Amino acid sequence: MLHLRLITPPGQTEDAVRLIEKTVGTAHLCVLTGAARDPAGDVILCDVARESADDLLSGLKNLNLDTTGSIAVENVDLSLSDRADRAEKEAPGEGADAVLWEQLTEATHEESTLSVTYLAFLTLATMIAACGVVLDNAILIVGAMAVGPEFGPLAGISTAAVQRKPRLALRSLNALLVGFAAAIVLTVLFSLFMDAVGLFTQRQLEGERPQTGFVYAPDWFSFVVAVLAGAAGTLSLTSAKSGALVGVAISVTTVPAAANAAVALSYGDTTQTWGSTEQLLLNLLGITLAGTLTLLTQKHLWRKQHARLRRRRGTTSV
C-alpha cells in the first residue's frame, strides 16, 4: 500500500474526495478541514493499492493539485487492516508489476542530475577500476562497478523516451557524457601519477590479463549482457520488489571500460583505448535500448490489463 497526503484548496476538496472514493483500491480516507497552513487549505489522507496509484495520481494532477496544493506519496511498510487487504484485492493486477510513472520520473531526475557527488562517485569508481585493470584484479573491477552511478542517467534517458520528456533526456545525456569525460580525464591524470611513483607500468597494462582483458575486446556477447542487465535494472527501478540494482551494476563493463581507456590513453596505447571506448559505447547503447523497450512493454501490458478489467466490469454491471 501507499499513503497519500494531499493539501487542497477548500474549493477543490470535494473533487479530490470524489476522485479518491471512485478509485478502486483506496482505503482509510480522512479529511481534515482547514488543517493546512502553508499552503492554506484542507488535508486529505488516504491509502491506495500500488496498482491503482498511478491512475489516482494522474487524476489528482488533472485537478492541478500539484500546483494549487500538494501531493505527497510514501510507502506503507506495514498495514494491519482488513479494509486495506480488501482494497488490494479489489485493485487490478499485482502491485509488484505496477509502474508509478511520476515516481520513476522523479527518481531518474534525481539520479541523472550532474552534481559534484555524481562526478565524485563516477571518478572514484573509474580510478578503482583503473587499479583493477592494471593489476588484473577482478575483485577491484566488481567493486568499481558497484560504486559507479551511471545507471541513473541511462534509466533517465529510457524514461524520457517513453514519457516524451525531452528536458529529462537532455539532463540525463549531459550527466552521462560530461560525467564520463571528466572521469576519464581525471583517471588519465591519476594513471600518470601512479606511473610516476612506480605503481602503474605499461608492461602491466599490455601483459596477459586473463581476468580483465575483456574490457577492451567488445563483442556481441558484451552487447547481449548489456541488454539483459538494462532490462533487469529497469525492472528493479519500477518494481515494488526492487533489490537487483546492485547486481545489474556489476554485470556490465561501463566503468571498467572507461578506466581501461583512460590508462591506455595515458600510455599512448590507441588500440586498447579504442577497444575500451567501443566496449563502453556498446554497453551504454545496450542498456538504454533495453531500458526503453522494457518500459514500453510494461506500459503496454498494464494498459491491456486495465482495459480488460474495465470491459469485465462493464459486462458485470449490465
Side-chain angles (χ1 to χ4, degrees):
M1 295 290 285
L2 299 174
H3 181 68
L4 267 64
R5 185 186 71 248
L6 312 176
I7 297 178
T8 62
Q12 292 182 284
T13 300
E14 285 305 315
D15 292 335
V17 168
R18 279 194 295 270
L19 176 62
I20 294 170
E21 288 177 333
K22 74 176 185 179
T23 299
V24 177
T26 59
H28 311 146
L29 176 61
C30 301
V31 180
L32 307 176
T33 304
R37 292 293 181 266
D38 184 20
D42 304 327
V43 175
I44 301 176
L45 307 174
C46 74
D47 292 338
V48 58
R50 182 181 174 88
E51 47 269 50
S52 297
D54 194 63
D55 286 343
L56 179 56
L57 290 174
S58 296
L60 293 171
K61 286 193 68 177
N62 288 337
L63 294 176
N64 294 320
L65 292 186
D66 54 327
T67 56
T68 61
S70 169
I71 304 172
V73 184
E74 56 188 15
N75 285 308
V76 178
D77 294 326
L78 177 64
S79 179
L80 303 178
S81 164
D82 288 341
R83 181 66 190 91
D85 293 340
R86 288 200 304 273
E88 287 191 313
K89 289 179 181 178
E90 292 168 358
E94 294 292 332
D97 297 332
V99 180
L100 299 181
W101 292 102
E102 291 296 333
Q103 184 185 54
L104 179 62
T105 301
E106 185 68 22
T108 51
H109 174 277
E110 182 179 347
E111 293 294 328
S112 62
T113 300
L114 185 64
S115 63
V116 173
T117 301
Y118 169 82
L119 287 174
F121 270 117
L122 189 56
T123 300
L124 290 171
T126 308
M127 289 179 177
I128 294 171
C131 296
V133 297
V134 172
L135 297 175
D136 193 36
N137 188 314
I139 295 176
L140 290 176
I141 292 294
V142 170
M145 290 174 173
V147 172
E150 73 280 7
F151 189 79
L154 292 169
I157 293 172
S158 297
T159 302
V162 174
Q163 292 291 87
R164 298 177 183 178
K165 294 181 180 292
R167 292 182 65 180
L168 176 59
L170 289 174
R171 182 183 295 109
S172 301
L173 190 61
N174 180 59
L176 201 63
L177 296 179
V178 174
F180 269 114
I184 289 173
V185 168
L186 291 172
T187 303
V188 167
L189 297 177
F190 172 73
S191 178
L192 291 172
F193 169 77
M194 295 292 279
D195 179 76
V197 298
L199 294 176
F200 281 6
T201 66
Q202 188 169 3
R203 183 178 178 182
Q204 288 174 299
L205 179 71
E206 296 181 350
E208 289 293 324
R209 288 160 49 199
Q211 298 293 320
T212 61
F214 65 93
V215 298
Y216 60 87
D219 53 23
W220 281 108
F221 186 76
S222 301
F223 183 74
V224 169
V225 172
V227 168
L228 296 175
T234 303
L235 286 174
S236 75
L237 282 178
T238 59
S239 173
K241 300 178 179 179
S242 59
L245 199 53
V246 173
V248 170
I250 62 176
S251 63
V252 289
T253 55
T254 48
V255 166
N260 199 83
V263 176
L265 187 62
S266 71
Y267 286 116
D269 187 336
T270 56
T271 301
Q272 285 202 40
T273 300
W274 178 243
S276 299
T277 303
E278 282 186 318
Q279 179 78 274
L280 174 62
L281 295 175
L282 196 65
N283 279 278
L284 294 178
L285 175 63
I287 294 172
T288 305
L289 180 63
T292 303
L293 292 176
T294 300
L295 289 175
L296 286 172
T297 301
Q298 287 180 288
K299 196 171 189 178
H300 173 70
L301 292 176
W302 195 251
R303 281 180 174 175
K304 279 186 68 176
Q305 190 172 47
H306 274 250
R308 238 184 352 256
L309 181 69
R310 282 193 292 268
R311 285 196 300 269
R312 191 181 306 131
R313 283 179 179 158
T315 303
T316 303
S317 62
V318 173

